[in-house]
Short mmCIF file of all heavy atoms in Angstrom, two decimals:
data_model
loop_
_atom_site.label_atom_id
_atom_site.label_comp_id
_atom_site.label_asym_id
_atom_site.label_seq_id
_atom_site.Cartn_x
_atom_site.Cartn_y
_atom_site.Cartn_z
N MET A 220 115.97 82.41 96.12
CA MET A 220 115.31 83.59 95.59
C MET A 220 114.00 83.85 96.32
O MET A 220 113.26 82.95 96.62
CB MET A 220 115.04 83.42 94.09
CG MET A 220 114.35 84.64 93.51
SD MET A 220 114.35 84.75 91.73
CE MET A 220 116.06 84.88 91.31
N THR A 221 113.76 85.10 96.57
CA THR A 221 112.55 85.46 97.31
C THR A 221 111.42 85.78 96.35
O THR A 221 111.59 86.55 95.41
CB THR A 221 112.80 86.70 98.19
OG1 THR A 221 114.02 86.52 98.88
CG2 THR A 221 111.68 86.88 99.19
N THR A 222 110.30 85.19 96.58
CA THR A 222 109.13 85.52 95.78
C THR A 222 108.41 86.70 96.42
O THR A 222 108.13 86.69 97.61
CB THR A 222 108.16 84.32 95.71
OG1 THR A 222 108.88 83.19 95.25
CG2 THR A 222 107.01 84.62 94.77
N VAL A 223 108.16 87.71 95.62
CA VAL A 223 107.49 88.88 96.15
C VAL A 223 105.99 88.70 96.07
O VAL A 223 105.43 88.55 95.00
CB VAL A 223 107.90 90.15 95.37
CG1 VAL A 223 107.14 91.36 95.88
CG2 VAL A 223 109.40 90.38 95.48
N LEU A 224 105.38 88.67 97.20
CA LEU A 224 103.93 88.65 97.24
C LEU A 224 103.46 90.08 97.46
O LEU A 224 103.71 90.66 98.50
CB LEU A 224 103.43 87.75 98.37
CG LEU A 224 103.75 86.26 98.20
CD1 LEU A 224 103.36 85.50 99.46
CD2 LEU A 224 103.03 85.68 97.00
N THR A 225 102.81 90.62 96.49
CA THR A 225 102.38 92.01 96.61
C THR A 225 101.15 92.09 97.49
O THR A 225 100.04 91.83 97.07
CB THR A 225 102.08 92.61 95.23
OG1 THR A 225 101.30 91.68 94.51
CG2 THR A 225 103.36 92.91 94.49
N SER A 226 101.40 92.46 98.71
CA SER A 226 100.30 92.60 99.65
C SER A 226 99.66 93.98 99.52
O SER A 226 98.73 94.29 100.24
CB SER A 226 100.80 92.40 101.07
OG SER A 226 101.94 93.20 101.30
N ALA A 227 100.22 94.77 98.59
CA ALA A 227 99.68 96.10 98.33
C ALA A 227 99.57 96.93 99.61
O ALA A 227 98.60 97.61 99.84
CB ALA A 227 98.32 96.01 97.65
N SER A 228 100.59 96.82 100.44
CA SER A 228 100.63 97.67 101.61
C SER A 228 100.91 99.09 101.17
O SER A 228 101.75 99.32 100.30
CB SER A 228 101.71 97.18 102.58
OG SER A 228 102.95 97.10 101.92
N PRO A 229 100.21 100.04 101.73
CA PRO A 229 100.37 101.43 101.29
C PRO A 229 101.78 101.94 101.56
O PRO A 229 102.41 101.57 102.53
CB PRO A 229 99.32 102.20 102.10
CG PRO A 229 98.98 101.32 103.24
CD PRO A 229 99.22 99.91 102.79
N LEU A 230 102.23 102.78 100.68
CA LEU A 230 103.54 103.41 100.87
C LEU A 230 103.44 104.42 101.99
O LEU A 230 102.42 105.07 102.19
CB LEU A 230 103.97 104.09 99.57
CG LEU A 230 104.20 103.13 98.40
CD1 LEU A 230 104.21 103.88 97.09
CD2 LEU A 230 105.48 102.37 98.58
N THR A 231 104.54 104.54 102.72
CA THR A 231 104.55 105.46 103.85
C THR A 231 105.63 106.52 103.66
O THR A 231 106.40 106.48 102.70
CB THR A 231 104.84 104.70 105.16
OG1 THR A 231 106.20 104.27 105.15
CG2 THR A 231 103.94 103.50 105.31
N ALA A 232 105.70 107.43 104.60
CA ALA A 232 106.72 108.48 104.54
C ALA A 232 108.12 107.91 104.67
O ALA A 232 109.10 108.55 104.33
CB ALA A 232 106.47 109.50 105.65
N ALA A 233 108.21 106.67 105.17
CA ALA A 233 109.51 106.03 105.32
C ALA A 233 110.01 105.45 104.00
O ALA A 233 111.17 105.11 103.88
CB ALA A 233 109.43 104.94 106.37
N ASP A 234 109.10 105.34 103.03
CA ASP A 234 109.49 104.83 101.72
C ASP A 234 110.04 105.97 100.88
O ASP A 234 109.38 106.98 100.69
CB ASP A 234 108.28 104.18 101.02
CG ASP A 234 107.84 102.92 101.72
OD1 ASP A 234 108.71 102.07 101.98
OD2 ASP A 234 106.65 102.79 102.01
N ARG A 235 111.25 105.77 100.38
CA ARG A 235 111.95 106.86 99.69
C ARG A 235 112.28 106.50 98.26
O ARG A 235 112.63 105.37 97.96
CB ARG A 235 113.25 107.20 100.45
CG ARG A 235 113.00 107.76 101.83
CD ARG A 235 112.49 109.18 101.75
NE ARG A 235 111.74 109.56 102.96
CZ ARG A 235 111.22 110.77 103.15
NH1 ARG A 235 111.34 111.69 102.23
NH2 ARG A 235 110.55 111.04 104.23
N CYS A 236 112.22 107.51 97.39
CA CYS A 236 112.59 107.35 95.99
C CYS A 236 114.03 106.86 95.87
O CYS A 236 114.92 107.42 96.52
CB CYS A 236 112.40 108.68 95.26
SG CYS A 236 112.99 108.67 93.56
N ASP A 237 114.25 105.84 95.04
CA ASP A 237 115.60 105.31 94.86
C ASP A 237 116.51 106.31 94.16
O ASP A 237 117.73 106.18 94.19
CB ASP A 237 115.53 104.02 94.03
CG ASP A 237 114.97 102.88 94.84
OD1 ASP A 237 115.00 102.95 96.08
OD2 ASP A 237 114.50 101.90 94.24
N ARG A 238 115.95 107.27 93.49
CA ARG A 238 116.74 108.21 92.69
C ARG A 238 117.09 109.47 93.44
O ARG A 238 118.19 109.99 93.33
CB ARG A 238 115.98 108.58 91.42
CG ARG A 238 115.81 107.42 90.47
CD ARG A 238 117.10 107.12 89.77
NE ARG A 238 117.04 105.81 89.13
CZ ARG A 238 117.88 105.43 88.18
NH1 ARG A 238 118.80 106.26 87.74
NH2 ARG A 238 117.79 104.23 87.67
N CYS A 239 116.13 110.04 94.17
CA CYS A 239 116.38 111.36 94.75
C CYS A 239 116.12 111.41 96.26
O CYS A 239 116.43 112.40 96.90
CB CYS A 239 115.55 112.41 94.03
SG CYS A 239 113.78 112.25 94.33
N GLY A 240 115.54 110.35 96.82
CA GLY A 240 115.32 110.33 98.26
C GLY A 240 114.06 111.03 98.71
O GLY A 240 113.79 111.12 99.91
N ALA A 241 113.28 111.52 97.77
CA ALA A 241 111.98 112.10 98.13
C ALA A 241 111.02 110.99 98.52
O ALA A 241 111.29 109.82 98.30
CB ALA A 241 111.43 112.90 96.96
N GLN A 242 109.90 111.38 99.11
CA GLN A 242 108.93 110.37 99.51
C GLN A 242 108.42 109.61 98.29
O GLN A 242 108.10 110.21 97.26
CB GLN A 242 107.76 111.01 100.24
CG GLN A 242 106.79 109.97 100.79
CD GLN A 242 105.72 110.58 101.68
OE1 GLN A 242 105.84 111.72 102.09
NE2 GLN A 242 104.69 109.82 101.96
N ALA A 243 108.36 108.30 98.40
CA ALA A 243 107.98 107.46 97.27
C ALA A 243 106.47 107.35 97.17
O ALA A 243 105.77 107.19 98.17
CB ALA A 243 108.60 106.08 97.43
N TYR A 244 105.99 107.44 95.93
CA TYR A 244 104.56 107.25 95.68
C TYR A 244 104.31 106.15 94.67
O TYR A 244 103.17 105.87 94.35
CB TYR A 244 103.93 108.56 95.21
CG TYR A 244 103.71 109.53 96.35
CD1 TYR A 244 104.66 110.48 96.67
CD2 TYR A 244 102.56 109.44 97.13
CE1 TYR A 244 104.47 111.35 97.73
CE2 TYR A 244 102.36 110.29 98.18
CZ TYR A 244 103.32 111.25 98.48
OH TYR A 244 103.13 112.10 99.54
N LEU A 245 105.39 105.55 94.18
CA LEU A 245 105.23 104.40 93.30
C LEU A 245 106.10 103.26 93.76
O LEU A 245 107.29 103.45 94.06
CB LEU A 245 105.61 104.75 91.86
CG LEU A 245 104.58 105.55 91.07
CD1 LEU A 245 104.98 107.00 91.02
CD2 LEU A 245 104.44 105.00 89.68
N ARG A 246 105.51 102.08 93.83
CA ARG A 246 106.30 100.88 94.11
C ARG A 246 106.26 100.03 92.85
O ARG A 246 105.19 99.70 92.34
CB ARG A 246 105.73 100.11 95.29
CG ARG A 246 106.42 98.77 95.50
CD ARG A 246 105.76 97.95 96.58
NE ARG A 246 106.13 98.46 97.91
CZ ARG A 246 105.25 98.66 98.90
NH1 ARG A 246 103.99 98.40 98.71
NH2 ARG A 246 105.66 99.10 100.06
N VAL A 247 107.44 99.67 92.37
CA VAL A 247 107.53 98.88 91.15
C VAL A 247 108.09 97.51 91.52
O VAL A 247 109.21 97.39 92.00
CB VAL A 247 108.45 99.56 90.11
CG1 VAL A 247 108.53 98.71 88.85
CG2 VAL A 247 107.93 100.95 89.80
N VAL A 248 107.29 96.49 91.30
CA VAL A 248 107.74 95.12 91.51
C VAL A 248 108.27 94.60 90.18
O VAL A 248 107.56 94.58 89.18
CB VAL A 248 106.59 94.22 92.00
CG1 VAL A 248 107.09 92.80 92.23
CG2 VAL A 248 105.99 94.80 93.28
N LEU A 249 109.54 94.24 90.19
CA LEU A 249 110.19 93.83 88.96
C LEU A 249 109.90 92.37 88.63
O LEU A 249 109.66 91.55 89.52
CB LEU A 249 111.70 94.02 89.08
CG LEU A 249 112.14 95.45 89.40
CD1 LEU A 249 113.65 95.49 89.61
CD2 LEU A 249 111.73 96.40 88.29
N LEU A 250 109.97 92.07 87.33
CA LEU A 250 109.80 90.69 86.89
C LEU A 250 110.88 89.81 87.50
O LEU A 250 110.68 88.63 87.75
CB LEU A 250 109.88 90.62 85.36
CG LEU A 250 108.73 91.30 84.63
CD1 LEU A 250 109.04 91.42 83.14
CD2 LEU A 250 107.43 90.55 84.84
N SER A 251 112.04 90.39 87.76
CA SER A 251 113.16 89.66 88.34
C SER A 251 112.98 89.42 89.84
O SER A 251 113.76 88.72 90.46
CB SER A 251 114.46 90.43 88.10
OG SER A 251 114.37 91.73 88.63
N GLY A 252 111.95 90.03 90.42
CA GLY A 252 111.67 89.78 91.83
C GLY A 252 112.05 90.92 92.75
O GLY A 252 111.71 90.91 93.91
N GLY A 253 112.78 91.88 92.22
CA GLY A 253 113.18 93.02 93.06
C GLY A 253 112.07 94.03 93.19
O GLY A 253 110.96 93.84 92.69
N GLU A 254 112.40 95.11 93.84
CA GLU A 254 111.41 96.13 94.08
C GLU A 254 112.08 97.50 94.01
O GLU A 254 113.18 97.69 94.52
CB GLU A 254 110.80 95.93 95.47
CG GLU A 254 109.42 96.49 95.64
CD GLU A 254 108.86 96.16 97.03
OE1 GLU A 254 109.22 96.85 97.99
OE2 GLU A 254 108.09 95.21 97.13
N LEU A 255 111.43 98.45 93.36
CA LEU A 255 111.96 99.79 93.26
C LEU A 255 110.92 100.77 93.77
O LEU A 255 109.72 100.55 93.62
CB LEU A 255 112.32 100.15 91.81
CG LEU A 255 113.45 99.35 91.16
CD1 LEU A 255 113.54 99.71 89.68
CD2 LEU A 255 114.77 99.63 91.84
N LEU A 256 111.41 101.87 94.35
CA LEU A 256 110.50 102.91 94.83
C LEU A 256 110.84 104.21 94.11
O LEU A 256 112.01 104.54 93.93
CB LEU A 256 110.66 103.09 96.34
CG LEU A 256 110.27 101.88 97.20
CD1 LEU A 256 110.66 102.13 98.65
CD2 LEU A 256 108.80 101.59 97.09
N PHE A 257 109.80 104.92 93.72
CA PHE A 257 110.02 106.19 93.04
C PHE A 257 109.06 107.24 93.56
O PHE A 257 107.92 106.93 93.92
CB PHE A 257 109.81 106.04 91.53
CG PHE A 257 110.86 105.22 90.84
CD1 PHE A 257 110.58 103.93 90.45
CD2 PHE A 257 112.12 105.74 90.61
CE1 PHE A 257 111.55 103.16 89.83
CE2 PHE A 257 113.09 104.98 89.99
CZ PHE A 257 112.81 103.69 89.60
N CYS A 258 109.54 108.48 93.57
CA CYS A 258 108.64 109.58 93.83
C CYS A 258 107.77 109.80 92.59
O CYS A 258 107.99 109.19 91.55
CB CYS A 258 109.45 110.84 94.14
SG CYS A 258 110.46 111.43 92.77
N ALA A 259 106.79 110.69 92.70
CA ALA A 259 105.90 110.91 91.57
C ALA A 259 106.66 111.40 90.35
O ALA A 259 106.40 110.99 89.23
CB ALA A 259 104.83 111.93 91.97
N HIS A 260 107.63 112.28 90.59
CA HIS A 260 108.41 112.86 89.50
C HIS A 260 109.17 111.78 88.73
O HIS A 260 109.08 111.68 87.51
CB HIS A 260 109.38 113.90 90.07
CG HIS A 260 110.30 114.48 89.05
ND1 HIS A 260 109.92 115.49 88.20
CD2 HIS A 260 111.58 114.18 88.74
CE1 HIS A 260 110.95 115.79 87.40
NE2 HIS A 260 111.97 115.01 87.71
N HIS A 261 109.92 110.96 89.45
CA HIS A 261 110.72 109.94 88.79
C HIS A 261 109.86 108.79 88.29
O HIS A 261 110.21 108.13 87.32
CB HIS A 261 111.83 109.45 89.73
CG HIS A 261 112.97 110.41 89.83
ND1 HIS A 261 113.25 111.11 90.99
CD2 HIS A 261 113.87 110.83 88.91
CE1 HIS A 261 114.29 111.90 90.76
NE2 HIS A 261 114.67 111.76 89.52
N GLY A 262 108.76 108.53 88.97
CA GLY A 262 107.84 107.51 88.50
C GLY A 262 107.34 107.84 87.11
O GLY A 262 107.29 106.98 86.23
N ARG A 263 106.97 109.11 86.93
CA ARG A 263 106.52 109.55 85.61
C ARG A 263 107.64 109.49 84.59
O ARG A 263 107.46 109.06 83.47
CB ARG A 263 106.00 110.99 85.69
CG ARG A 263 104.51 111.10 85.57
CD ARG A 263 104.06 112.48 85.19
NE ARG A 263 104.64 113.52 86.03
CZ ARG A 263 104.10 113.97 87.15
NH1 ARG A 263 102.96 113.48 87.55
NH2 ARG A 263 104.68 114.89 87.86
N LYS A 264 108.80 109.93 85.04
CA LYS A 264 109.94 110.02 84.14
C LYS A 264 110.34 108.65 83.59
O LYS A 264 110.65 108.49 82.42
CB LYS A 264 111.12 110.65 84.88
CG LYS A 264 112.34 110.88 84.02
CD LYS A 264 113.43 111.59 84.80
CE LYS A 264 114.66 111.78 83.93
NZ LYS A 264 115.76 112.41 84.68
N PHE A 265 110.32 107.64 84.48
CA PHE A 265 110.80 106.32 84.09
C PHE A 265 109.68 105.36 83.71
O PHE A 265 109.93 104.20 83.42
CB PHE A 265 111.63 105.71 85.22
CG PHE A 265 112.91 106.45 85.48
CD1 PHE A 265 113.12 107.09 86.68
CD2 PHE A 265 113.91 106.51 84.51
CE1 PHE A 265 114.30 107.78 86.92
CE2 PHE A 265 115.08 107.20 84.75
CZ PHE A 265 115.28 107.84 85.96
N GLU A 266 108.46 105.87 83.70
CA GLU A 266 107.32 104.98 83.47
C GLU A 266 107.45 104.12 82.21
O GLU A 266 107.21 102.91 82.28
CB GLU A 266 106.03 105.79 83.43
CG GLU A 266 104.80 104.91 83.45
CD GLU A 266 103.51 105.73 83.47
OE1 GLU A 266 103.52 106.88 82.99
OE2 GLU A 266 102.51 105.21 83.95
N PRO A 267 107.84 104.68 81.07
CA PRO A 267 107.94 103.85 79.86
C PRO A 267 108.94 102.71 80.04
O PRO A 267 108.70 101.60 79.57
CB PRO A 267 108.42 104.84 78.79
CG PRO A 267 108.02 106.18 79.30
CD PRO A 267 108.14 106.09 80.79
N GLU A 268 110.05 102.99 80.71
CA GLU A 268 111.06 101.95 80.95
C GLU A 268 110.55 100.94 81.97
O GLU A 268 110.75 99.73 81.83
CB GLU A 268 112.34 102.59 81.48
CG GLU A 268 113.06 103.45 80.45
CD GLU A 268 113.46 102.63 79.22
OE1 GLU A 268 114.01 101.55 79.40
OE2 GLU A 268 113.18 103.10 78.10
N LEU A 269 109.89 101.45 82.99
CA LEU A 269 109.45 100.57 84.07
C LEU A 269 108.42 99.57 83.58
O LEU A 269 108.40 98.42 84.00
CB LEU A 269 108.85 101.41 85.20
CG LEU A 269 109.85 102.30 85.94
CD1 LEU A 269 109.13 103.17 86.95
CD2 LEU A 269 110.90 101.46 86.63
N LYS A 270 107.58 100.01 82.66
CA LYS A 270 106.53 99.12 82.17
C LYS A 270 107.10 97.91 81.45
O LYS A 270 106.45 96.87 81.36
CB LYS A 270 105.59 99.89 81.25
CG LYS A 270 104.58 100.71 82.03
CD LYS A 270 103.61 101.45 81.13
CE LYS A 270 102.51 102.10 81.97
NZ LYS A 270 101.66 103.00 81.17
N LYS A 271 108.34 98.04 80.97
CA LYS A 271 108.97 96.91 80.27
C LYS A 271 109.47 95.87 81.25
O LYS A 271 109.60 94.69 80.90
CB LYS A 271 110.15 97.41 79.42
CG LYS A 271 109.75 98.34 78.31
CD LYS A 271 111.00 98.81 77.58
CE LYS A 271 110.71 100.03 76.72
NZ LYS A 271 111.99 100.65 76.28
N ILE A 272 109.82 96.30 82.45
CA ILE A 272 110.50 95.38 83.39
C ILE A 272 109.67 95.10 84.62
O ILE A 272 110.05 94.29 85.45
CB ILE A 272 111.86 95.96 83.82
CG1 ILE A 272 111.68 97.32 84.48
CG2 ILE A 272 112.81 96.05 82.63
CD1 ILE A 272 112.94 97.85 85.15
N ALA A 273 108.51 95.74 84.74
CA ALA A 273 107.73 95.61 85.96
C ALA A 273 106.70 94.49 85.85
O ALA A 273 106.04 94.32 84.82
CB ALA A 273 107.01 96.92 86.25
N ALA A 274 106.60 93.73 86.92
CA ALA A 274 105.52 92.77 87.03
C ALA A 274 104.27 93.47 87.51
O ALA A 274 103.15 93.11 87.17
CB ALA A 274 105.90 91.65 88.00
N GLU A 275 104.49 94.50 88.31
CA GLU A 275 103.36 95.23 88.89
C GLU A 275 103.82 96.63 89.27
O GLU A 275 104.93 96.82 89.75
CB GLU A 275 102.83 94.50 90.12
CG GLU A 275 101.57 95.13 90.69
CD GLU A 275 101.03 94.31 91.86
OE1 GLU A 275 101.16 93.08 91.83
OE2 GLU A 275 100.51 94.91 92.80
N ILE A 276 102.99 97.61 89.04
CA ILE A 276 103.29 98.98 89.45
C ILE A 276 102.18 99.46 90.37
O ILE A 276 101.02 99.53 89.97
CB ILE A 276 103.43 99.92 88.25
CG1 ILE A 276 104.58 99.48 87.35
CG2 ILE A 276 103.65 101.36 88.73
CD1 ILE A 276 104.77 100.34 86.11
N GLN A 277 102.58 99.74 91.58
CA GLN A 277 101.62 100.28 92.56
C GLN A 277 101.74 101.80 92.53
O GLN A 277 102.74 102.37 92.93
CB GLN A 277 101.94 99.71 93.94
CG GLN A 277 100.99 100.19 95.03
CD GLN A 277 101.38 99.62 96.38
OE1 GLN A 277 102.18 98.70 96.47
NE2 GLN A 277 100.84 100.17 97.44
N ASP A 278 100.71 102.44 92.06
CA ASP A 278 100.76 103.88 91.83
C ASP A 278 99.89 104.59 92.86
O ASP A 278 98.68 104.45 92.85
CB ASP A 278 100.28 104.17 90.42
CG ASP A 278 100.41 105.64 90.06
OD1 ASP A 278 100.56 106.48 90.97
OD2 ASP A 278 100.34 105.95 88.87
N GLU A 279 100.53 105.35 93.71
CA GLU A 279 99.77 106.09 94.72
C GLU A 279 99.92 107.59 94.53
O GLU A 279 99.76 108.37 95.46
CB GLU A 279 100.23 105.68 96.13
CG GLU A 279 99.93 104.22 96.44
CD GLU A 279 100.14 103.89 97.90
OE1 GLU A 279 100.40 104.81 98.69
OE2 GLU A 279 100.04 102.71 98.24
N THR A 280 100.26 107.98 93.32
CA THR A 280 100.50 109.40 93.05
C THR A 280 99.23 110.24 93.23
O THR A 280 99.32 111.44 93.42
CB THR A 280 101.05 109.61 91.63
OG1 THR A 280 100.20 108.93 90.72
CG2 THR A 280 102.45 109.10 91.51
N GLU A 281 98.08 109.58 93.13
CA GLU A 281 96.85 110.35 93.33
C GLU A 281 96.72 110.88 94.76
O GLU A 281 96.05 111.86 95.00
CB GLU A 281 95.61 109.51 92.95
CG GLU A 281 95.34 108.34 93.86
CD GLU A 281 96.01 107.06 93.37
OE1 GLU A 281 96.95 107.15 92.56
OE2 GLU A 281 95.60 105.99 93.80
N ARG A 282 97.44 110.22 95.67
CA ARG A 282 97.44 110.73 97.05
C ARG A 282 98.15 112.07 97.13
O ARG A 282 97.86 112.89 97.98
CB ARG A 282 98.14 109.72 97.97
CG ARG A 282 97.31 108.48 98.24
CD ARG A 282 97.82 107.76 99.48
NE ARG A 282 99.25 107.51 99.40
CZ ARG A 282 100.05 107.44 100.46
NH1 ARG A 282 99.56 107.61 101.67
NH2 ARG A 282 101.33 107.20 100.33
N LEU A 283 99.12 112.25 96.26
CA LEU A 283 99.84 113.52 96.20
C LEU A 283 98.89 114.67 95.89
O LEU A 283 98.87 115.68 96.58
CB LEU A 283 100.88 113.45 95.08
CG LEU A 283 102.35 113.27 95.47
CD1 LEU A 283 103.20 113.34 94.23
CD2 LEU A 283 102.78 114.34 96.45
N THR A 284 98.13 114.50 94.84
CA THR A 284 97.21 115.56 94.42
C THR A 284 96.11 115.74 95.45
O THR A 284 95.57 116.84 95.59
CB THR A 284 96.61 115.23 93.04
OG1 THR A 284 96.16 113.89 93.04
CG2 THR A 284 97.64 115.42 91.95
N ALA A 285 95.79 114.69 96.18
CA ALA A 285 94.78 114.81 97.22
C ALA A 285 95.33 115.59 98.41
O ALA A 285 94.63 116.39 99.01
CB ALA A 285 94.32 113.42 97.67
N ASP A 286 96.62 115.34 98.71
CA ASP A 286 97.24 116.02 99.85
C ASP A 286 97.51 117.49 99.56
O ASP A 286 97.26 118.35 100.38
CB ASP A 286 98.56 115.33 100.21
CG ASP A 286 98.32 113.98 100.86
OD1 ASP A 286 97.15 113.71 101.18
OD2 ASP A 286 99.28 113.24 101.03
N GLN A 287 98.04 117.73 98.36
CA GLN A 287 98.46 119.08 98.02
C GLN A 287 97.54 119.61 96.93
O GLN A 287 97.72 119.33 95.76
CB GLN A 287 99.91 119.06 97.53
CG GLN A 287 100.85 118.47 98.57
CD GLN A 287 102.26 118.29 98.03
OE1 GLN A 287 102.53 118.63 96.90
NE2 GLN A 287 103.14 117.74 98.86
N THR A 288 96.60 120.40 97.35
CA THR A 288 95.57 120.85 96.42
C THR A 288 96.13 121.78 95.36
O THR A 288 95.64 121.83 94.25
CB THR A 288 94.43 121.56 97.18
OG1 THR A 288 95.00 122.46 98.10
CG2 THR A 288 93.58 120.56 97.92
N SER A 289 97.18 122.52 95.72
CA SER A 289 97.73 123.48 94.77
C SER A 289 99.13 123.10 94.32
O SER A 289 100.00 123.94 94.15
CB SER A 289 97.74 124.88 95.38
OG SER A 289 98.58 124.89 96.53
N ALA A 290 99.39 121.79 94.18
CA ALA A 290 100.71 121.34 93.77
C ALA A 290 100.99 121.76 92.33
O ALA A 290 100.22 121.44 91.44
CB ALA A 290 100.80 119.82 93.87
N PRO A 291 102.07 122.46 92.13
CA PRO A 291 102.41 122.87 90.76
C PRO A 291 102.87 121.68 89.92
O PRO A 291 103.52 120.78 90.43
CB PRO A 291 103.56 123.87 90.96
CG PRO A 291 104.17 123.46 92.25
CD PRO A 291 103.06 122.91 93.10
N GLU A 292 102.53 121.68 88.68
CA GLU A 292 102.93 120.60 87.78
C GLU A 292 104.43 120.69 87.51
O GLU A 292 104.92 121.74 87.12
CB GLU A 292 102.14 120.72 86.48
CG GLU A 292 102.27 119.52 85.56
CD GLU A 292 101.65 118.25 86.15
OE1 GLU A 292 100.75 118.37 87.00
OE2 GLU A 292 102.07 117.18 85.74
N GLU A 293 105.13 119.55 87.72
CA GLU A 293 106.57 119.55 87.49
C GLU A 293 106.86 119.56 85.99
O GLU A 293 106.13 119.02 85.20
CB GLU A 293 107.19 118.27 88.09
CG GLU A 293 107.24 118.30 89.59
CD GLU A 293 108.54 118.94 90.08
OE1 GLU A 293 109.48 119.09 89.27
OE2 GLU A 293 108.60 119.31 91.27
N GLU A 294 107.99 120.17 85.65
CA GLU A 294 108.47 120.08 84.27
C GLU A 294 108.85 118.64 83.96
O GLU A 294 109.39 117.95 84.80
CB GLU A 294 109.69 120.97 84.07
CG GLU A 294 109.38 122.44 84.01
CD GLU A 294 108.64 122.82 82.74
OE1 GLU A 294 108.95 122.25 81.68
OE2 GLU A 294 107.74 123.67 82.83
N ARG A 295 108.56 118.19 82.78
CA ARG A 295 108.94 116.84 82.42
C ARG A 295 110.40 116.81 82.06
O ARG A 295 110.83 117.60 81.28
CB ARG A 295 108.14 116.35 81.22
CG ARG A 295 106.71 116.13 81.62
CD ARG A 295 105.91 115.61 80.44
NE ARG A 295 104.50 115.79 80.77
CZ ARG A 295 103.57 114.94 80.41
NH1 ARG A 295 103.87 113.89 79.76
NH2 ARG A 295 102.32 115.16 80.71
ZN1 ZN B 307 112.68 110.88 92.81
#
């Protein structure tokens, strides 16, 4: 089994949401040792569930709002 050492490396454009393939802004390190990537939309959507199974959640969604000054708020 691989132990995940969270080096908190920033997410890049190559990191893609596991659900929709959009650029990932959240990295979720699972208690089981795995890792999931989510875009801002799915990160928000699954946040309550993720908090139950995550050892750590790296949230870079604030970079989204910094990049896109006029980003419209997604429907929940
Ligand atoms: Zn997504």
Side-chain angles (χ1 to χ4, degrees):
M220 180 165 297
T221 314
T222 306
V223 177
L224 295 173
T225 46
S226 50
S228 55
L230 296 163
T231 70
D234 292 310
R235 295 287 157 178
C236 174
D237 287 339
R238 293 285 165 162
C239 69
Q242 185 172 347
Y244 284 93
L245 282 102
R246 173 185 283 134
V247 180
V248 181
L249 302 175
L250 293 169
S251 57
E254 205 176 80
L255 295 173
L256 296 172
F257 291 104
C258 64
H260 176 81
H261 284 112
R263 252 199 310 270
K264 184 176 179 183
F265 294 116
E266 190 178 26
E268 292 300 313
L269 293 175
K270 280 182 172 171
K271 296 178 196 167
I272 59 170
E275 186 176 325
I276 298 178
Q277 181 182 346
D278 185 343
E279 295 191 6
T280 51
E281 67 268 19
R282 287 199 308 151
L283 256 185
T284 47
D286 288 350
Q287 303 173 2
T288 46
S289 62
E292 190 66 24
E293 287 271 345
E294 285 290 323
R295 290 181 196 216

